[in-house]
Amino acid sequence: MTTAARRPATLDDVARAAGVSRSTASRVLAGNGFASSTARERVRTAVSLLGYVPNAAARALVHGSGVRLLVAVAGTGPAVLDDPYVDQAVAAVARACAPHGLGVAVQWVPVDAPERLTRLTDDRGVAGLVLLNTTTDLLDLVPRRLSGRTVSIGIGSATVPSVDIDNGGGTSAIVRHLYEAGRRRIAMVTGPRWLACANRSVRAYRRLLHDAGLPAREVVGDFSAARGHAAAREVLRRWPDTDAIVGISDATALGVIGRLRADGVRVPDDVAVTGFDDIPLAATVALTTASHPVRQIINTAATMVLEERAAPATTVFPSTLVLRESA
Amino acid sequence: MTTAARRPATLDDVARAAGVSRSTASRVLAGNGFASSTARERVRTAVSLLGYVPNAAARALVHGSGVRLLVAVAGTGPAVLDDPYVDQAVAAVARACAPHGLGVAVQWVPVDAPERLTRLTDDRGVAGLVLLNTTTDLLDLVPRRLSGRTVSIGIGSATVPSVDIDNGGGTSAIVRHLYEAGRRRIAMVTGPRWLACANRSVRAYRRLLHDAGLPAREVVGDFSAARGHAAAREVLRRWPDTDAIVGISDATALGVIGRLRADGVRVPDDVAVTGFDDIPLAATVALTTASHPVRQIINTAATMVLEERAAPATTVFPSTLVLRESA
DNA sequence: GATTGTGGTGGCAGCGCTCCCAGGTGTGTG
DNA sequence: CACACACCTGGGAGCGCTGCCACCACAATC
């Protein structure tokens, strides 16, 4: 037990140790205002000697700036938070925040009651906002206090910047690949209708089939493996001659494959299956999918919020087709 | 744009609206101290009318209590944070924190320089500590300021409470199952040596093999699918007659299966494979594994930290054998 | 010698909150 | 009727920090 009952040092301690006033110490640390080189030096040594770490709460209090980022996830129920994608986003944001002395919180916002966001942002503790599964409603509810401190992962607006994936392009590439591989009866397990990014995928799918003179075969899913599992059966019940199933996500595709295999349907021989995202496990089960630099996307978002260089603009990350055995 | 440039309400606003003093309003909200039922009522309506949310920073400042939980993850490099398990833990803690107005931060602590933890805990902003991949060194470095506000996920100590998985029991059940299914040449892809929970699994594996008069066949892994992938080949190179491989984690097992199948080895016919944890995808690929209520475990840990009812004791969660086709 | 800088410094208010304490207003008891 | 003893309330200090402002010394200028 090397740790004494030592009280973390305050700026007063530092100032005293350096033989200057608190104001001077503060000025040195802030780096603005005047300070002689000797004062600067003495304060710096005192800081490292005492292991001084500024009190984020006090700083936030005087600046009125808040003390954590809020990851707000729109969804139909609190279960949206039970999602590895959300986990990943939260963790990535947390990692980016740590050096800034900020924390992260996650909250769910009902799709059909977006105004609940206001209750969350009324908390002065919220220093910034990361929007997930963003809807246009939500974008309009971002308070002015947090503009320039908000990034949407997905769609953006004139006031809210965003980082996004080229869902349309990715899905087009997948469907085109299936078509070129000779598949003609291509079904899709979609995402929830209210979700913009899912809709872009669905629209791309429809467009391509339409242009090829083929009918669309859609079953609504929700990104989950469990739903994919159920949806696979529904697809084959409604359109037994289906020879390819496009999953809105890798999890969906994995669920689909699980069901098909269990039902004795061969993948890809009888039915080709594709995913979307290229999660680590996709490689393991040889899933054809579209790859996105998810980590990089989330980091970009987190950085934008933290650096406050969040000019209202959309950064779109490309989608790369990854060919594996499942299609 | 329904949001005016409205300044979030302060306790002063509430008090003024309710026609009482700030002290009274504070007392009502804290729920301690005296307050007439009329005062109570008026304050409450004012609160909901103004949408008042207490300022966590101010509260933390006066209490000296910090404003976020720190999830400290021990590992050999910052890459430990690139782990879905960590993501899940961070996100779960974040979810548990949100209602308390707390945020979460994650930081990595080098296994061979645990004293770095001190630098992290010197930050007054840290209200509590969740230790992951805990080592005994780390446990000794928890400052007194945070005792009762610290939970270790994994091993604990006389002063630090912990929530843990019965790794030994789970692994025993798995190995026993393999043995009873007639497997006699059972290999294991282990975890890193410095990790207590991994060692418990390894010891259980050795014990059972030893008792059965069988030799251990161990290859060191690191929980990752990629390492499992490589380790599978190493196992079969060193012990070509291996008829079962025990993975330290599901990811490891999935990597192993991927490699085996790619090499034309039939699973489970030629080699049975087992995992550990029962991640969602385990069901999809029909992996025999040991199931743990991970979510519940992490929530328990988060709750313990938040409620400060963290008496130094270890809560061990059981491990349940889940039989699927892979073994 | 009086003025106007200029680089450097410390005093002090105040961010929003909690909590102690002094000071009320009622009721019950000696 | 005085007193104790509830219950209830507001004043005010102070948590650690920032940033404004006043101040000081010293130099350059009129």
Side-chain angles (χ1 to χ4, degrees), chain B:
Chain B
M1 196 63 83
T2 54
T3 37
R6 209 194 48 198
R7 176 184 60 87
T10 72
L11 190 56
D12 261 319
D13 299 331
V14 172
R16 212 171 305 124
V20 299
S21 77
R22 189 174 54 243
S23 318
T24 303
S26 171
R27 239 177 289 118
V28 170
L29 294 182
N32 55 26
F34 297 111
S36 62
S37 53
T38 43
R40 220 181 295 276
E41 172 99 9
R42 296 169 59 107
V43 169
R44 281 203 217 292
T45 56
V47 163
S48 65
L49 211 66
L50 275 67
Y52 168 75
V53 183
N55 183 327
R59 204 171 256 186
L61 182 58
V62 52
H63 280 140
S65 56
V67 89
R68 65 181 179 278
L69 298 191
L70 177 65
V71 178
V73 189
T76 50
V80 267
L81 300 181
D82 290 329
D83 179 350
Y85 177 56
V86 173
D87 286 356
Q88 204 181 355
V90 172
V93 174
R95 243 179 299 169
C97 285
H100 298 251
L102 287 172
V104 190
V106 226
Q107 298 255 225
W108 157 69
V109 180
V111 222
D112 50 358
E115 70 280 3
R116 292 261 193 93
L117 181 67
T118 315
R119 198 185 301 173
L120 302 177
T121 54
D122 268 354
D123 187 335
R124 263 257 161 80
V126 174
L129 213 51
V130 176
L131 263 23
L132 228 61
N133 290 1
T134 321
T135 62
T136 47
D137 289 344
L138 226 45
L139 290 170
D140 290 343
L141 286 164
V142 174
R144 252 208 260 304
R145 183 175 74 87
L146 293 175
S147 74
R149 283 287 184 182
T150 301
V151 171
S152 160
I153 298 184
I155 55 169
S157 74
T159 50
V160 179
S162 65
V163 293
D164 209 346
I165 290 175
D166 182 12
N167 293 277
T171 304
S172 296
I174 285 174
V175 176
R176 197 173 300 119
H177 169 70
L178 289 170
Y179 186 87
E180 284 167 1
R183 310 284 170 164
R184 289 296 178 273
R185 293 176 297 271
I186 305 170
M188 179 166 194
V189 180
T190 70
R193 290 188 207 287
W194 54 269
L195 195 56
C197 66
N199 284 333
R200 285 201 306 253
S201 286
V202 175
R203 275 201 300 274
Y205 158 80
R206 283 181 195 159
R207 157 83 49 91
L208 255 77
L209 290 207
H210 178 83
D211 290 355
L214 298 172
R217 305 170 164 199
E218 294 173 21
V219 171
V220 177
D222 63 0
F223 288 102
S224 76
R227 184 74 195 105
H229 214 252
R233 191 162 266 183
E234 190 179 339
V235 167
L236 289 190
R237 189 176 51 70
R238 290 172 61 183
W239 306 285
D241 61 345
T242 297
D243 61 6
I245 300 180
V246 177
I248 190 74
S249 72
D250 283 351
T252 302
L254 291 169
V256 168
I257 292 177
R259 168 90 286 159
L260 294 182
R261 290 235 168 96
D263 286 356
V265 179
R266 289 170 306 159
V267 176
D269 312 55
D270 300 329
V271 176
V273 178
T274 63
F276 205 81
D277 270 353
D278 197 24
I279 60 175
L281 269 148
T284 312
V285 301
L287 180 69
T288 288
T289 188
S291 173
H292 318 109
V294 176
R295 203 120 240 170
Q296 193 191 336
I297 291 171
I298 300 173
N299 282 339
T300 304
T303 311
M304 284 170 79
V305 176
L306 291 166
E307 317 258 291
E308 206 173 356
R309 57 169 186 72
T314 297
T315 312
V316 178
F317 285 81
S319 195
T320 318
L321 188 61
V322 179
L323 298 178
R324 299 206 186 91
E325 280 91 75
S326 77

Side-chain angles (χ1 to χ4, degrees), chain A residues 40 59 76 78 122 131-132 143 145 159 166 173 180 201 223:
Chain A
R40 220 182 297 274
R59 203 171 256 186
T76 49
D122 268 355
L131 263 23
L132 228 61
R145 183 175 74 87
T159 51
D166 182 12
E180 285 166 1
S201 286
F223 287 99

Side-chain angles (χ1 to χ4, degrees), chain A residues 122-142:
Chain A
D122 268 355
D123 188 335
R124 264 258 160 76
V126 174
L129 212 51
V130 176
L131 263 23
L132 228 61
N133 291 359
T134 321
T135 63
T136 48
D137 289 345
L138 225 44
L139 289 170
D140 291 343
L141 285 164
V142 173

Side-chain angles (χ1 to χ4, degrees), chain A residues 11 23 26 52 55 59 63:
Chain A
L11 190 57
S23 316
S26 171
Y52 168 74
N55 184 327
R59 203 171 256 186
H63 280 140

Side-chain angles (χ1 to χ4, degrees), chain A residues 7 38 53 92 133 151 179 194 214 228 261 273 285-286 313 320 322 327:
Chain A
R7 172 185 62 88
T38 42
V53 183
N133 291 359
V151 170
Y179 186 86
W194 54 268
L214 299 171
R261 290 236 167 97
V273 178
V285 302
T320 317
V322 179

